[in-house]
Amino acid sequence: MNLELKDMPGQLVLALQPISEFGGNIVSVLHQRDKKTPRGLIPVQITFEMDGKKLERLINRMKSNGITIAQIGEDRLREKATMILIGHIIHSDIRDTIDRIDSTGYAEVKDLAVSMPGVAQHSAARIVINAAGKKEMQNAIQLLRDIAREKELLLIESIEEA
Amino acid sequence: MKKVRILIIGFGVIGSGVARAISEKREFISDKYGIDFEVVGIGERDGCIVCPEGIDAMEAYKLKQDGTLNKHPCWKDGVSSIDLIKGANADIVIEATPTNINSGEPGLSHMMAAFNTKKHVVTSNKGPLTIAFQKLKKTAEKNGVQFRFEAAVGGAMPVLNLVRETLQANEILSIEGILNGTCNYILTRMSTEGLPYEHVLSEAQELGIAEADPTYDVDGIDTACKLVILANAILGMNVSYKDADVTGITQISPGALKLASDDGYVIKLIGEIKDRNRPRVAPRLVPKDHPLAVGGTLNVISLRTDLAGEITVTGKGAGAIETSSSILSDLISIYKA
């Protein structure tokens, strides 16, 4: 979120307080006092994690505090994990596998590549999952493990996650 | 000069390889450390060589190569290794019989007999270590003798001694690595040549990299055993083979390896213990530029420590000469102290 603050005491607090009130977790604050905007305001860049549903109310609260919001960028799914599935990928309903990840609300299948060597042979799929955070990624991987067990697929996880 | 009398129990590839290495390195070791290693007994399935005044280890090695070990002047037909261990005037037993993960025998009985007659044990045999680690450790302590098994994990690669001798102040938080050279060879060849599993397996068998019955390697059993030994010895856990979660490499296809490679990964059979959870052996995606992405028959282990951070060692995981490096290092470390 890029903000523009008046050059007077207490403005940064007025901008940050609402974020903690709505349960947000501030990741970084970049306060550039020496780089004033043409309107004489101080640009401040704030990165925070928060429940997206509360964003509208946060914006209203900031505005009522007299804060100018220049830009809002949302990166909902920040974690990425690559995995490989081996087995009867298609016959065990790949659509269902994807739907079950996507329907969690906190993770989704971002990319899928399939290799099918022959009718009788096992196929393989590379699946890329995005999730909201580390904990959500753990849950998504666990869900995929359960699906793999149920559909008798071999799930190859990356050593980067775990 | 300190004279150390050695019994070698099990005179197969590893046991006879150690005899050869002792013979070749005897002068080097005595010059450098003031220790003179003398083999005074060799135990085989069908008999023993007993020779209190010392056996020419190179001669025994050559006889073994010719299949005529029982023509040695000191050969005693039918004398069991247990009786040799109990009766011989020796300081140390090198236990190099084949691994048996079901009963741990005959290695387990050999080791217990050695401890109970106040002899140190150095071994490459994983069976007893995966079945009765705590029992062996306690018996060695009770008898005031040493128990060393660097050669049982990762062949030449120093791991246990690295932790004991040089990372003393560190807490080891997690262990992960490639602990089986056969699986690494198969996956590396499949990946670089795009060949199917069965094809590369037969190639590995022809080269002597895989056994005629490859189950123990390709099903991840060997990796799990080594992981269990590391868990017990380094992390102070009390786990056995049945506590491990094990998946092998038999289902890995060239298609899967290609998909992995296209996205910057290789597939490796990884053994892992994190946060003292149950040991896990499974094929995993490893980024191509990651320290664990070693090829061929190499082994590699990465330790995560609280002070030193990540420490990774890599080396030959099998082979008689390479394994004897670890056995000799254990022998020396017992007497250097």
Side-chain angles (χ1 to χ4, degrees):
Chain A
M1 185 179 272
N2 289 328
L3 309 176
E4 291 176 357
L5 304 184
K6 294 180 196 116
D7 190 8
M8 53 192 275
Q11 291 301 300
L12 188 58
V13 175
L14 283 177
L16 298 181
Q17 195 127 41
I19 297 176
S20 35
E21 272 172 35
F22 285 106
N25 179 31
I26 295 171
V27 179
S28 86
V29 178
L30 193 60
H31 183 253
Q32 295 165 294
R33 202 165 188 285
D34 53 342
K35 282 189 188 169
K36 288 198 175 165
T37 66
R39 282 183 288 170
L41 299 172
I42 300 169
V44 175
Q45 194 180 68
I46 305 176
T47 308
F48 57 94
E49 297 166 341
M50 200 186 72
D51 180 355
K53 292 193 283 289
K54 294 179 184 167
L55 188 62
E56 208 55 43
R57 283 157 63 203
L58 172 71
I59 292 167
N60 289 335
R61 173 71 60 85
M62 281 182 162
K63 280 180 179 166
S64 68
N65 278 1
I67 309 290
T68 307
I69 299 172
Q71 198 185 12
I72 300 174
E74 205 182 336
D75 194 0
R76 201 172 64 81
L77 303 174
R78 302 191 310 145
E79 292 291 319
K80 174 182 172 238
T82 304
M83 280 161 280
I84 289 199
L85 286 164
I86 300 177
H88 293 296
I89 313 270
I90 309 298
H91 292 134
S92 64
D93 197 351
I94 186 71
R95 186 70 249 171
D96 167 74
T97 305
I98 297 169
D99 284 347
R100 278 160 73 177
I101 303 286
D102 287 354
S103 65
T104 57
Y106 55 75
E108 62 190 39
V109 175
K110 191 74 186 164
D111 187 42
L112 184 81
V114 182
S115 150
M116 289 186 289
V119 179
Q121 286 163 293
H122 281 175
S123 47
R126 185 182 65 229
I127 185 165
V128 178
I129 291 182
N130 282 6
K134 289 197 187 322
K135 198 167 155 285
E136 287 80 2
M137 182 57 84
Q138 284 306 311
N139 293 341
I141 291 173
Q142 189 55 51
L143 175 60
L144 198 55
R145 282 179 192 156
D146 295 341
I147 295 172
R149 194 172 304 121
E150 174 196 319
K151 297 186 175 181
E152 295 179 359
L153 304 172
L154 172 63
L155 176 67
I156 303 177
E157 298 169 38
S158 166
I159 57 164
E160 297 160 305
E161 279 81 38
Chain B
M1 183 70 61
K2 177 161 183 52
K3 199 174 197 77
V4 174
R5 292 153 302 176
I6 296 174
L7 300 178
I8 301 177
I9 306 301
F11 212 62
V13 176
I14 301 296
S16 63
V18 169
R20 185 183 151 188
I22 287 174
S23 169
E24 286 173 351
K25 284 282 179 178
R26 193 169 175 179
E27 211 179 297
F28 176 86
I29 291 166
S30 64
D31 285 352
K32 207 165 173 187
Y33 304 105
I35 309 165
D36 184 31
F37 288 127
E38 180 135 74
V39 180
V40 296
I42 293 171
E44 267 281 56
R45 234 169 312 181
D46 48 350
C48 293
I49 296 173
V50 193
C51 204
E53 60 278 12
I55 297 167
D56 179 343
M58 189 55 93
E59 187 196 355
Y61 168 78
K62 284 178 179 155
L63 287 172
K64 175 70 189 183
Q65 297 303 301
D66 300 339
T68 53
L69 195 65
N70 57 6
K71 298 289 183 289
H72 192 281
C74 300
W75 175 264
K76 291 193 169 58
D77 222 28
V79 173
S80 77
S81 290
I82 287 281
D83 290 337
L84 173 66
I85 295 167
K86 285 180 179 162
N89 181 13
D91 306 298
I92 192 157
V93 171
I94 298 173
E95 216 294 330
T97 60
T99 291
N100 172 338
I101 60 157
N102 296 316
S103 67
E105 297 296 356
L108 184 53
S109 299
H110 292 160
M111 292 177 193
M112 292 301 284
F115 292 144
N116 287 324
T117 52
K118 313 277 183 214
K119 294 176 183 74
H120 306 297
V121 170
V122 170
T123 189
S124 58
N125 184 346
K126 290 178 281 291
L129 288 160
T130 48
I131 284 172
F133 181 78
Q134 294 299 338
K135 180 178 159 190
L136 288 163
K137 190 169 167 241
K138 287 195 184 103
T139 310
E141 278 165 10
K142 194 182 78 189
N143 286 287
V145 289
Q146 300 283 325
F147 181 31
R148 297 285 165 89
F149 39 88
E150 180 71 66
V153 182
M157 203 171 48
V159 181
L160 300 167
N161 292 344
L162 176 75
V163 172
R164 195 187 54 242
E165 310 267 335
T166 43
L167 296 173
Q168 302 99 319
N170 284 268
E171 191 185 337
I172 310 297
L173 306 170
S174 70
I175 301 172
E176 62 180 354
I178 299 173
L179 303 171
N180 185 277
T182 308
C183 289
N184 200 18
Y185 176 83
I186 292 173
L187 292 175
T188 305
R189 281 287 288 170
M190 283 176 70
S191 182
T192 51
E193 307 299 326
L195 295 167
Y197 170 78
E198 292 77 14
H199 183 112
V200 178
L201 174 62
S202 359
E203 178 189 273
Q205 284 166 329
E206 267 170 42
L207 289 169
I209 293 170
E211 309 269 346
D213 175 6
T215 316
Y216 184 69
D217 292 317
V218 299
D219 281 354
I221 302 166
D222 177 65
T223 302
C225 287
K226 289 167 178 168
L227 202 54
V228 162
I229 294 170
L230 291 171
N232 291 334
I234 294 183
L235 302 177
M237 294 168 71
N238 187 8
V239 289
S240 72
Y241 172 70
K242 63 179 188 304
D243 299 311
D245 189 1
V246 187
T247 309
I249 63 163
T250 54
Q251 291 182 73
I252 307 294
S253 59
L257 287 158
K258 174 81 167 50
L259 285 171
S261 177
D262 288 348
D263 208 24
Y265 294 96
V266 286
I267 297 177
K268 299 289 181 189
L269 185 69
I270 300 287
E272 170 196 80
I273 311 172
K274 278 221 164 92
D275 307 319
R276 305 172 65 79
N277 287 328
R278 65 188 299 201
R280 175 184 177 198
V281 176
R284 303 283 289 275
L285 292 175
V286 178
K288 284 176 184 172
D289 57 0
H290 193 279
L292 292 190
V294 301
T297 58
L298 283 175
N299 282 23
V300 58
I301 291 184
S302 220
L303 304 167
R304 196 160 57 83
T305 70
D306 57 349
L307 299 178
E310 199 96 9
I311 299 271
T312 304
V313 284
T314 179
K316 293 266 177 66
I321 305 292
E322 291 82 357
T323 304
S324 64
S325 158
S326 288
I327 290 180
L328 284 177
S329 128
D330 278 345
L331 288 175
I332 293 166
S333 78
I334 288 175
Y335 287 98
K336 225 174 66 175

